[in-house]
Amino acid sequence: MRKGITNDMFKQLEEISIKLDKSLDKINEQSLIIHELRLEIKKYEEQSKKDKELIKKLIEENERLKNQNNKNSNNSSKPSSTNMITPKKRTSANSYNYRFKTGNNKGGQYNHQGYNLSKKDAEKLIEENKIEVREITHIIKGDSKKEPLVKYRYDLEIKPYIERHIFKYEENAQENLPKEFYTDVTYGSSIKALSIHLGCYNVIAYNRLSDFFSVISNNVLNISNGTLVNFVKEFSKKSEATIANLENNFLNGTTGYTDETGTKFEKQKLYVRNYSNEENVVYKVHKNKGHKPIKDDDLLTRFCGGIMGDHDTTLYSYGSRNYECNIHLGRYLMELMENIPDTKWPFLMYDLIFRMNNTRKIAIEYGLTKFSDDKIKEYRNEYDEILKLAKEENKKIKSSYYRLNKAKPLYNRLLKYKQNHLYFIEDFSIPFDDNLSERDLRIFKNKTKISGGFRSMNVAQDFANALSIIKTSIKRKVNPFDSIKDILNNKILFAN
């Protein structure tokens, strides 16, 4: 009996063992499948994470591109010429220049003020001996007892001539032959001055300028491009003492405007910086940005007044105070207003900044030089309240691009540089914006658009020196043509 039972139990155990082995094989097989599935899941999770990051980047890039497409002169530093959409079909000169038919008749428009030549102005010029008068008498049909009818006609005579300079030798004479006459034939200061003014200020290309002189002189003056370049080089050299005066005038001012713009020379970057005030401007060119070129110029390093710039923090190392351009601030606020309209604080800050300036303009008309202490305190408190709102609203901006790249940096700027933005309400002599620098630098943008840049650094600085003289003359309401001629004749100008 026991032997039979033992055999049966052994048999059962053997069967159970076989079943267990099979189960273990299945478990191992399932474990392998589970392990493979886990690896697959992990792989998909990693891919999903990458996809989410990519989607986030694409959304931010889409926001950035949308922001770029929405930019114009009101919400960025782009020029106003970019405001209009480029026509798909440029079929005419007007369309090409973004002008379209208005339906109005050609010429002067009804109810528009006319701009006719004035007989009174002509007679005033004659009385002040500012213009040569050539009298021509005509005989016309009419009553001979009537007073003669007087009419005026403005005209301009362009007539080339040659000066024959004869140098006689005397043993006791004190003067030597001037350097300008070392060559047998030279050009006079009027030709050089006209060339410099047209080439630098009006940005006329040298080949067109050469053609201009040939046409107006009936092919007598055939000036090469190289000679035209040498005119500017000569003028730049002779203007060094006058440029030094302009630099001293800048240093003696209470407020200095400065900014820089980029251009090119030999396909390399070139930067032009202006040092300006209401009556003077000096231009300097450099290959790089930053402190080194400013220190090389040695103007801001010696300047003791307040400096106006467009949030260039490099400038905060110089001057007694630094002012922030509120026009540029308005553009950045406008950018937020257009792209995240649900956020209120940019609208409120924009309104406050320009409301303060408009009120200031009215106060200036009444002879005030600053707001009252109570009014300044009121404006400052309003500024702070808007910043408190900005801090809360910025957290709720859905777009990470606008939240992190636009709204937050602008909030931080307004918080940190509050005093620099509000100096203009404490003293009405302090400028509201840096538009003066923009106007002074605009001509270099024109030069870049027309010719693409300069041939060399030396040519660029010669151009800059010529413009320093011309623009300063215009600011001071002095005829720039006369200023150029005076310097070519070795005079030193603008001593104060």
Side-chain angles (χ1 to χ4, degrees):
M1 276 298 283
R2 288 180 183 171
K3 188 177 180 182
I5 292 171
T6 302
N7 289 335
D8 287 341
M9 288 179 66
F10 181 78
K11 203 174 196 179
Q12 288 175 4
L13 285 170
E14 198 174 45
E15 289 174 356
I16 290 169
S17 178
I18 292 169
K19 286 181 180 179
L20 282 172
D21 289 340
K22 289 181 179 179
S23 297
L24 286 171
D25 289 341
K26 285 185 178 179
I27 288 170
N28 289 333
E29 187 179 341
Q30 293 296 323
S31 296
L32 183 61
I33 293 171
I34 290 169
H35 178 69
E36 290 176 348
L37 287 173
R38 281 177 177 168
L39 290 175
E40 197 72 21
I41 289 169
K42 187 177 180 181
K43 181 173 144 186
Y44 282 125
E45 284 177 345
E46 290 175 353
Q47 185 61 44
S48 176
K49 186 179 178 181
K50 289 180 181 178
D51 289 344
K52 286 180 181 178
E53 290 176 355
L54 179 60
I55 290 169
K56 183 181 177 181
K57 287 181 181 178
L58 288 173
I59 290 172
E60 289 183 357
E61 181 66 9
N62 184 55
E63 294 282 2
R64 187 188 70 80
L65 292 173
K66 178 183 174 184
N67 176 259
Q68 288 294 111
N69 290 334
N70 289 339
K71 283 188 176 179
N72 53 45
S73 62
N74 295 321
N75 59 24
S76 72
S77 297
K78 294 179 72 174
S80 57
S81 59
T82 62
N83 286 356
M84 298 187 69
I85 299 171
T86 305
K88 290 183 179 179
K89 292 183 179 180
R90 295 176 172 179
T91 55
S92 66
N94 282 346
S95 296
Y96 183 84
N97 290 299
Y98 312 112
R99 298 184 182 129
F100 303 95
K101 290 185 178 180
T102 61
N104 295 333
N105 293 327
K106 293 181 180 180
Q109 302 301 310
Y110 179 72
N111 277 340
H112 283 201
Q113 181 181 355
Y115 296 95
N116 298 321
L117 295 173
S118 166
K119 187 174 183 179
K120 184 178 179 181
D121 290 340
E123 290 174 342
K124 185 179 178 181
L125 289 172
I126 295 170
E127 288 174 8
E128 295 175 353
N129 293 319
K130 289 185 177 180
I131 194 168
E132 178 190 344
V133 181
R134 298 178 182 180
E135 195 168 281
I136 301 172
T137 302
H138 302 268
I139 305 299
I140 59 174
K141 186 176 181 180
D143 188 349
S144 60
K145 295 179 181 180
K146 283 185 178 181
E147 286 292 322
L149 188 64
V150 179
K151 302 285 186 179
Y152 297 101
R153 174 188 285 166
Y154 287 97
D155 210 338
L156 179 68
E157 185 176 85
I158 302 173
K159 184 178 180 181
Y161 63 91
I162 290 179
E163 294 176 345
R164 179 184 285 126
H165 290 258
I166 302 171
F167 296 92
K168 294 183 178 180
Y169 294 99
E170 288 186 7
E171 292 182 359
N172 298 327
Q174 300 296 317
E175 294 184 6
N176 294 315
L177 180 68
K179 287 184 179 179
E180 60 185 296
F181 289 103
Y182 280 5
T183 56
D184 290 336
V185 181
T186 60
Y187 290 103
S189 59
S190 292
I191 291 175
K192 293 177 181 178
L194 183 59
S195 165
I196 292 165
H197 191 275
L198 292 176
C200 295
Y201 186 70
N202 294 282
V203 201
I204 297 177
Y206 287 126
N207 58 340
R208 293 171 58 197
L209 197 53
S210 177
D211 181 65
F212 167 77
F213 280 112
S214 178
V215 169
I216 64 170
S217 67
N218 196 23
N219 292 324
V220 171
L221 300 174
N222 295 301
I223 309 174
S224 69
N225 291 4
T227 301
L228 295 171
V229 173
N230 287 335
F231 288 166
V232 181
K233 186 176 180 180
E234 177 192 348
F235 178 74
S236 175
K237 182 68 177 175
K238 289 186 174 181
S239 68
E240 288 177 355
T242 299
I243 297 292
N245 284 342
L246 298 184
E247 292 177 357
N248 287 330
N249 294 339
F250 173 81
L251 293 173
N252 292 333
T254 56
T255 301
Y257 297 76
T258 185
D259 202 350
E260 64 184 356
T261 188
T263 181
K264 293 180 180 179
F265 81 99
E266 295 179 345
K267 299 182 180 179
Q268 299 180 51
K269 280 281 188 178
L270 174 71
Y271 298 95
V272 182
R273 179 171 287 280
N274 72 296
Y275 299 94
S276 306
N277 54 35
E278 297 294 341
E279 289 193 337
N280 306 274
V281 58
V282 180
Y283 299 102
K284 301 289 185 181
V285 299
H286 293 281
K287 292 181 181 179
N288 302 299
K289 290 183 173 184
H291 287 287
K292 187 179 183 305
I294 290 176
K295 289 178 180 178
D296 289 342
D297 294 340
D298 197 25
L299 287 171
L300 294 186
T301 51
R302 295 182 288 151
F303 186 67
C304 298
I307 298 174
M308 166 57 77
D310 174 25
H311 197 56
D312 182 355
T313 53
T314 305
L315 302 178
Y316 278 75
S317 300
Y318 311 99
S320 58
R321 291 192 292 185
N322 293 88
Y323 312 129
E324 288 283 345
C325 176
N326 287 295
I327 288 292
H328 281 84
L329 171 62
R331 293 171 187 167
Y332 306 139
L333 290 168
M334 181 68 72
E335 182 182 1
L336 296 184
M337 289 157 61
E338 292 179 353
N339 291 287
I340 44 175
D342 294 337
T343 306
K344 294 179 181 178
W345 77 264
F347 293 86
L348 296 174
M349 186 61 77
Y350 187 94
D351 173 72
L352 172 63
I353 293 296
F354 288 92
R355 177 161 35 93
M356 287 190 294
N357 189 44
N358 289 333
T359 308
R360 184 177 91 142
K361 290 177 181 177
I362 296 170
I364 290 172
E365 290 180 1
Y366 283 92
L368 300 179
T369 58
K370 60 171 288 186
F371 288 122
S372 66
D373 292 341
D374 289 340
K375 192 66 177 175
I376 292 172
K377 185 177 179 181
E378 178 188 328
Y379 281 139
R380 285 180 168 277
N381 289 339
E382 187 175 353
Y383 186 101
D384 292 337
E385 289 300 317
I386 294 171
L387 285 184
K388 287 179 183 177
L389 177 64
K391 187 175 181 180
E392 295 303 315
E393 287 190 334
N394 286 352
K395 297 175 184 177
K396 301 174 184 177
I397 298 174
K398 294 178 181 179
S399 168
S400 60
Y401 173 78
Y402 286 106
R403 183 176 69 254
L404 299 176
N405 299 323
K406 297 294 179 179
K408 186 178 179 181
L410 188 56
Y411 164 79
N412 291 336
R413 167 180 169 175
L414 287 165
L415 184 64
K416 182 175 180 179
Y417 298 98
K418 171 185 173 181
Q419 179 60 44
N420 309 93
H421 279 290
L422 295 182
Y423 270 128
F424 76 97
I425 64 174
E426 298 178 356
D427 182 354
F428 290 170
S429 67
I430 292 172
F432 175 73
D433 55 57
D434 192 31
N435 283 356
L436 186 145
S437 284
E438 289 200 347
R439 291 194 297 271
D440 284 344
L441 287 171
R442 191 168 293 136
I443 195 164
F444 284 91
K445 290 292 186 186
N446 296 338
K447 171 70 174 175
T448 305
K449 288 178 181 177
I450 292 170
S451 64
F454 299 91
R455 293 286 182 91
S456 69
M457 284 288 293
N458 290 335
V459 170
Q461 188 59 64
D462 290 341
F463 183 90
N465 287 345
L467 271 183
S468 298
I469 304 299
I470 294 170
K471 289 284 288 185
T472 297
S473 299
I474 293 171
K475 285 177 181 243
R476 293 176 177 235
K477 295 181 171 52
V478 174
N479 189 328
F481 183 77
D482 291 338
S483 297
I484 298 170
K485 282 182 66 177
D486 286 342
I487 289 174
L488 286 169
N489 291 322
N490 301 310
K491 291 185 181 178
I492 301 172
L493 308 180
F494 310 128
N496 51 52

